[in-house]
Amino acid sequence: GVYLMAKKKSGHGAACMAISIVLGLGWLAIFSMHGEPQQRILKNYIREDLEQKPDENLRPVQGAYGWNLGDKLPNDLELETNDDGKITHNSTIGLNNGSFDGWLEITEDHQIASITVTLYEESEKMEEMNKVLREKYGLRKISHTSSSGDYLAYFGTTNRQAVLMYQGKLSFLEYRSEELCQLAQEQAKNRKAAAQKQTEDELKTHL
């Protein structure tokens, strides 16, 4: 406002200053509040990081892209053991509107614990996917991870959920069974510990 007034645009300058003062007083009133009214106003303003909703209002995720969580993969399917000990099956998932790079995380008995795809999408399409998941399973929680608009959106029930990780043009969508993911993680941790112990034992033998 001061800048505009200095440039002989007193009308615009005065308007900017007036708006700033009004908004400043508004924020002062909000921050002067205590308890629930303040929290409600601030949450609505900051794109609403949604707190977790109860599972009774949501639908459990069963699977996606032709895979079902909990199904057992054939024994002859090509698998990989990652550096962190996790067992995965990498796959290109074909859809009507293109293909996605994806992978399955599985347990030692070949049960599908999670299904993840990499999404090369513009923000508008991601918002549409957000809407579809919301309608299909119900939105349980949202948390924003950066000031640039990145977020994590959780759909479905606590144990059977879809997680949309929006990170601009390279984002991820994961369908997961929390029970099986926890089992797979524990098994991976045990495999990694066993491999490390074997390496240490071999070193002791040679020394």
Side-chain angles (χ1 to χ4, degrees):
V2 172
Y3 172 81
L4 288 171
M5 293 185 78
K7 289 291 185 179
K8 309 295 185 185
K9 298 179 179 178
S10 57
H12 289 139
C16 285
M17 294 177 72
I19 291 171
S20 297
I21 292 170
V22 170
L23 292 178
L25 291 173
W27 279 114
L28 180 61
I30 291 173
F31 286 119
S32 298
M33 294 178 181
H34 297 284
E36 186 180 343
Q38 182 195 53
Q39 293 177 7
R40 185 174 64 251
I41 292 171
L42 290 176
K43 281 182 181 179
N44 289 338
Y45 179 79
I46 309 174
R47 293 189 60 188
E48 198 174 5
D49 275 7
L50 293 179
E51 295 180 356
Q52 183 150 323
K53 294 181 180 179
D55 283 0
E56 293 79 33
N57 302 325
L58 306 166
R59 289 180 293 280
V61 171
Q62 301 301 322
Y65 307 113
W67 305 99
N68 291 315
L69 297 171
D71 281 0
K72 285 194 174 184
L73 297 178
N75 292 330
D76 58 351
L77 200 66
E78 184 177 348
L79 303 176
E80 294 183 12
T81 302
N82 300 338
D83 294 337
D84 58 2
K86 291 182 179 179
I87 302 175
T88 60
H89 167 65
N90 298 327
S91 176
T92 299
I93 298 170
L95 298 174
N96 295 333
N97 57 345
S99 61
F100 303 101
D101 296 325
W103 64 91
L104 311 176
E105 181 181 353
I106 67 171
T107 62
E108 288 180 349
D109 62 350
H110 292 194
Q111 279 188 289
I112 299 175
S114 69
I115 306 157
T116 306
V117 292
T118 304
L119 303 172
Y120 304 92
E121 295 288 349
E122 300 296 334
S123 58
E124 294 80 7
K125 293 183 179 179
M126 292 296 292
E127 290 299 332
E128 181 62 27
M129 182 171 289
N130 188 318
K131 180 181 177 182
V132 171
L133 290 168
R134 186 187 300 237
E135 292 174 351
K136 188 171 184 179
Y137 302 113
L139 177 63
R140 192 175 81 255
K141 184 171 66 169
I142 287 181
S143 59
H144 293 89
T145 57
S146 76
S147 57
S148 61
D150 296 344
Y151 63 82
L152 291 171
Y154 301 82
F155 306 88
T157 60
T158 306
N159 185 47
R160 289 291 190 101
Q161 64 179 335
V163 184
L164 181 61
M165 295 163 271
Y166 176 69
Q167 300 174 355
K169 292 189 176 181
L170 180 61
S171 299
F172 302 90
L173 176 59
E174 181 181 31
Y175 298 83
R176 51 188 289 127
S177 162
E178 292 303 322
E179 181 181 354
L180 292 175
C181 281
Q182 184 176 354
L183 175 61
Q185 186 175 0
E186 293 215 356
Q187 291 173 343
K189 183 179 178 181
N190 293 338
R191 275 193 301 274
K192 193 172 181 180
Q196 185 174 354
K197 185 177 185 306
Q198 183 178 356
T199 302
E200 291 173 355
D201 290 345
E202 289 176 355
L203 284 173
K204 289 178 182 178
T205 302
H206 288 89
L207 292 175

